[in-house]
Amino acid sequence: MKKPLIMGAAAVIAAGGIGLTATPAKAASKLRILRVHYNSPGRDDGSAYSLNAEWILLHNTARTSQQLKGYRIRDRSGHTYTFGSFRLGGRRSVFVHTGRSWNHWSGVLPGLDGAALATNLPGLGRSAHRFWGRTWYVWNNNGDTAYLYYPGGRLADWCSWGNRGSYKNC
């Protein structure tokens, strides 16, 4: 009887340890992926408006501010954004837009204009927007995964979606 059990365990180990390894708890991270707007409105024409209407929103769940230097955002294809020195206040959020810079962005997010941002989402002024600097899209409209990594490389959070809609609340 012991032989099948040992062989079964060996098969699991040979298959990459499926079932034996624990996945990190998403709730343990103070910095979370709150929403991904992966399908900007209109055609994917590569315009500044279109690129910057594609974004990921991260939220600091802690009451204290967090230094984000070295945190990385990545998609399944390996496109990576790394935060430079940036301190995110406690219980505040930051948008990371796909496009180049504030000067290349109209300040309009789908469903919210710049004034509405300041009024309805306290703490989301210019300092709460970062720009990836890309000239083409990152997030796949037909399904993708956003990964958030701690500076040391450990997975902090992730969010996946399929081929329906334009955004995912994570």
Side-chain angles (χ1 to χ4, degrees):
M1 275 304 207
K2 289 184 180 182
K3 191 171 185 176
L5 178 61
I6 292 169
M7 289 175 61
V12 169
I13 292 167
I18 297 170
L20 296 178
T21 58
T23 57
K26 287 177 81 169
S29 176
K30 294 177 184 175
L31 188 62
R32 302 289 310 269
I33 300 171
L34 194 61
R35 185 177 201 177
V36 181
H37 196 277
Y38 54 85
N39 188 1
S40 60
R43 280 187 19 244
D44 285 349
D45 60 6
S47 68
Y49 172 81
S50 183
L51 286 169
N52 286 319
E54 182 182 85
W55 45 263
I56 183 170
L57 181 62
L58 305 180
H59 182 71
N60 177 6
T61 62
R63 292 178 189 213
T64 57
S65 65
Q66 301 294 314
Q67 176 55 254
L68 301 190
K69 184 174 184 177
Y71 273 83
R72 291 180 297 120
I73 299 168
R74 207 187 101 212
D75 74 340
R76 274 194 293 212
S77 298
H79 300 105
T80 304
Y81 173 84
T82 304
F83 277 92
S85 184
F86 176 71
R87 185 165 288 282
L88 183 60
R91 297 188 175 167
R92 298 290 186 203
S93 299
V94 58
F95 289 90
V96 179
H97 301 270
T98 297
R100 292 182 20 221
S101 73
W102 189 268
N103 293 332
H104 294 93
W105 181 51
S106 66
V108 177
L109 291 174
L112 289 174
D113 62 27
L117 268 177
T119 306
N120 297 328
L121 300 171
L124 293 182
R126 283 186 176 213
S127 65
H129 294 267
R130 293 293 176 258
F131 296 86
W132 202 309
R134 298 193 47 89
T135 56
W136 201 250
Y137 304 91
V138 171
W139 309 113
N140 293 323
N141 298 347
N142 60 353
D144 208 339
T145 302
Y147 301 97
L148 175 65
Y149 292 94
Y150 292 106
R154 193 168 45 100
L155 184 64
D157 197 10
W158 71 94
C159 182
S160 294
W161 57 91
N163 61 359
R164 294 182 181 221
S166 0
Y167 65 89
K168 168 76 176 190
N169 290 322
C170 306

